[in-house]
Amino acid sequence: MRRAGLPLRGGGRRAPPGRAEREHGHDRRGGRDSSVAARPTPGEGTQTPTAPDRTPEPSASSTAPASPYASPAPSAPRTTAIPSQSAGSTAATPSQPSSPAPATGVLRHTASGGRTVALTFDDGPGPATGQVLDLLAQYGAKATFCEIGDNAKARPAAVQRILAEGHRLCDHTVDHPQPMHTRPHEQQVAEIADAKSMIENAAGNSPTITWWRAPGGDFTAENERIGADLGMKSLGWTVDPRDWSRPGVQAIVSNVQQNLRPGGVVLMHDGGGDRSQTVAALKQLLPWLVAQGYAFDFPQS
Ligand SMILES: [Zn+2]
């Protein structure tokens, strides 16, 4: 997550060269290393409300070892309760169009329900994407990658590999503006629409992108509508181990193990800086999920 305008951004918006790295959004805010990540910098505190993926997270707060972010998750009434435990009930979509307020349209569960989990990776593609893909392949796991347009454009091969290996793509805006909701309407439209095009172009085969995720989970009725008009549903999550902040491999692992419930959506990152902790955690989580009887699924679409 790129926290534009943040003091952390030192140097202010850099020029294009830093583009591919900008995505750090998450770490950027977290600082340069785990130590920093543990305690939000003054700057972060200030924008905690819009802060990255922590805010909206429902379950996140529960575990969170050091959860300065422990957000009381204004979380939309968790559509969670997977209606039908029966797998394959793709039809039953609790939080669907029926809901009047777009704000309640944030998806937070898998398509099939039952003992399934949807792994989602944000802010890539980046240098660690290949390692994440290797691990997923090793366990026969499928995941959803919420990509930043600039990164997709910079690493088309990674985008293509993601699709070739059976994973799916999600629009995570052009350059991860935060906070998203304060941007002018036209800018929000451009961030979402252009990213979709950039990801599709990088993929090369016109994949169908059915979800978009606001930077930091900063969804509003306004931007949810923008996404909906572009044919995409707002994708949230139920478990946020804050891997972007590099809290330590074990912290990431236990956060997921303690907060995941059947049908949940896990938020992790394959972009945004040094992802070695994420990769190491994934190495433990994948076999754990398999041992727990979880099947890998995609978010509801
Ligand atoms: Zn992000």
Side-chain angles (χ1 to χ4, degrees):
M1 290 188 159
R2 129 136 143 276
R3 4 189 13 191
L6 275 204
L8 285 184
R9 267 184 86 13
R13 297 211 157 186
R14 295 282 185 71
R19 281 208 139 191
E21 305 178 2
R22 264 196 247 152
E23 351 296 71
H24 309 322
H26 299 275
D27 356 47
R28 201 152 259 170
R29 99 171 71 111
R32 22 237 74 213
D33 54 88
S34 38
S35 53
V36 178
R39 26 130 186 151
T41 66
E44 305 190 311
T46 4
Q47 45 167 253
T48 297
T50 39
D53 322 316
R54 26 159 122 135
T55 318
E57 247 4 78
S59 54
S61 35
S62 44
T63 323
S67 58
Y69 306 112
S71 51
S75 60
R78 269 186 166 193
T79 27
T80 313
I82 301 152
S84 55
Q85 290 292 71
S86 56
S89 58
T90 328
T93 306
S95 69
Q96 275 258 307
S98 45
S99 46
T104 63
V106 179
L107 301 176
R108 300 177 196 281
H109 47 84
T110 63
S112 306
R115 205 165 180 72
T116 60
V117 58
L119 299 179
T120 64
F121 294 92
D122 288 16
D123 299 359
T129 304
Q131 290 174 282
V132 169
L133 288 171
D134 289 345
L135 282 171
L136 293 175
Q138 192 181 328
Y139 290 89
K142 299 304 177 201
T144 300
F145 292 78
C146 294
E147 305 190 320
I148 289 178
D150 282 345
N151 288 356
K153 184 178 181 182
R155 297 172 184 273
V159 179
Q160 289 159 25
R161 181 182 166 192
I162 286 171
L163 286 175
E165 298 187 358
H167 305 292
R168 294 190 188 172
L169 300 171
C170 162
D171 176 336
H172 199 36
T173 73
V174 173
D175 55 13
H176 217 277
Q178 281 189 284
M180 175 86 173
H181 78 279
T182 57
R183 299 296 200 279
H185 183 78
E186 313 68 53
Q187 191 186 333
Q188 291 192 58
V189 171
E191 282 284 349
I192 303 171
D194 294 353
K196 185 168 185 283
S197 301
M198 293 167 87
I199 296 171
E200 290 170 343
N201 291 336
N205 61 348
S206 303
T208 301
I209 298 177
T210 55
W211 307 284
W212 85 279
R213 176 176 277 167
D218 189 11
F219 289 112
T220 59
E222 178 185 20
N223 61 40
E224 281 182 41
R225 170 47 54 195
I226 295 171
D229 288 344
L230 289 165
M232 302 183 285
K233 295 187 176 178
S234 302
L235 178 58
W237 60 81
T238 61
V239 182
D240 174 12
R242 300 183 187 69
D243 65 312
W244 57 266
S245 71
R246 292 181 286 235
V249 179
Q250 282 317 307
I252 297 173
V253 172
S254 20
N255 187 306
V256 174
Q257 295 181 329
Q258 291 170 34
N259 293 310
L260 180 63
R261 298 291 177 274
V265 179
V266 179
L267 167 68
M268 291 183 90
H269 299 77
D270 64 317
D274 182 356
R275 292 276 73 86
S276 54
Q277 287 189 17
T278 299
V279 172
L282 195 58
K283 219 169 270 183
Q284 292 183 48
L285 287 170
L286 286 169
W288 178 78
L289 288 167
V290 171
Q292 293 294 308
Y294 273 96
F296 300 98
D297 196 8
F298 293 110
Q300 192 175 64
S301 63

